[in-house]
């Protein structure tokens, strides 16, 4: 019985349960990424991209102005506090999100002013994964 329990625990620890990171608009690049010491969104995305998969980024309420398209092409969940207060403003300069991994999830965010000049989505381009409870405003595709 003891060997069976150890095997079950080992299986769960290797089954894709990832780390949790907290990000905020005031978080630093060298912060711990905890709820009490959130990191920047850029640092959280870099940490999860280098992880084993299954990581979760909890994004605090606030307005984020990414300098590039955010690509969720690995197993990660990016989850805002709620779609009314966690806002990604792309300033009409770039496509918003690309979600292209079966285990990638984008949840509870508002995406505004995203623009793409190809035919693949303005606010979010989904080829795989999940986009849930998101609000899109003033996003466009200009071909």
């Amino acid at each position: 019985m003891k060997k069976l329990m150890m095997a079950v625990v080992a299986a769960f620890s290797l089954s894709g349960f990832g780390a949790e990171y907290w990000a905020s608009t005031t978080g630093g690049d060298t912060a711990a990424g905890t709820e009490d010491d959130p990191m920047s969104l850029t640092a959280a995305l870099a940490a999860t991209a280098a992880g084993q998969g299954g990581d979760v980024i909890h994004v605090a309420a606030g307005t984020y102005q990414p300098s590039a398209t955010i690509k969720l092409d690995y197993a990660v969940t990016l989850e805002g506090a709620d779609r009314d207060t966690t806002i990604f403003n792309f300033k009409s300069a770039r496509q918003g999100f690309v979600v292209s991994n079966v285990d990638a999830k984008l949840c509870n965010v508002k995406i505004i002013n995203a623009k793409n000049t190809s035919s693949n989505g303005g606010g979010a381009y989904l080829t795989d994964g999940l986009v849930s409870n998101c609000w899109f405003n003033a996003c466009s595709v200009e071909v």
Side-chain angles (χ1 to χ4, degrees), residues 84-138:
D84 293 322
T85 62
T86 306
I87 303 163
F88 287 86
N89 184 352
F90 289 92
K91 297 179 165 184
S92 298
R94 67 200 51 81
Q95 184 176 30
F97 289 87
V98 174
V99 182
S100 60
N101 182 289
V102 68
D103 293 317
K105 298 173 186 73
L106 174 63
C107 314
N108 304 331
V109 298
K110 182 189 296 185
I111 301 164
I112 62 173
N113 300 319
K115 180 172 84 173
N116 193 9
T117 55
S118 74
S119 61
N120 296 331
Y125 179 54
L126 175 70
T127 61
D128 228 333
L130 174 72
V131 175
S132 171
N133 197 34
C134 294
W135 183 18
F136 299 87
N137 188 25

Side-chain angles (χ1 to χ4, degrees), residues 14-83:
L14 297 173
S15 65
F17 292 106
E20 290 187 275
Y21 298 93
W22 278 261
S24 75
T25 57
T26 59
D29 288 340
T30 59
T34 62
E35 195 167 5
D36 294 330
D37 187 21
M39 56 182 35
S40 69
L41 180 63
T42 302
L45 288 165
T48 58
Q52 298 295 316
D55 294 343
V56 177
I57 302 173
H58 301 280
V59 184
T63 299
Y64 299 81
Q65 297 180 359
S67 60
T69 297
I70 297 175
K71 296 180 180 181
L72 304 179
D73 55 0
Y74 53 97
V76 64
T77 297
L78 191 148
E79 180 176 40
D82 66 66
R83 71 179 192 175

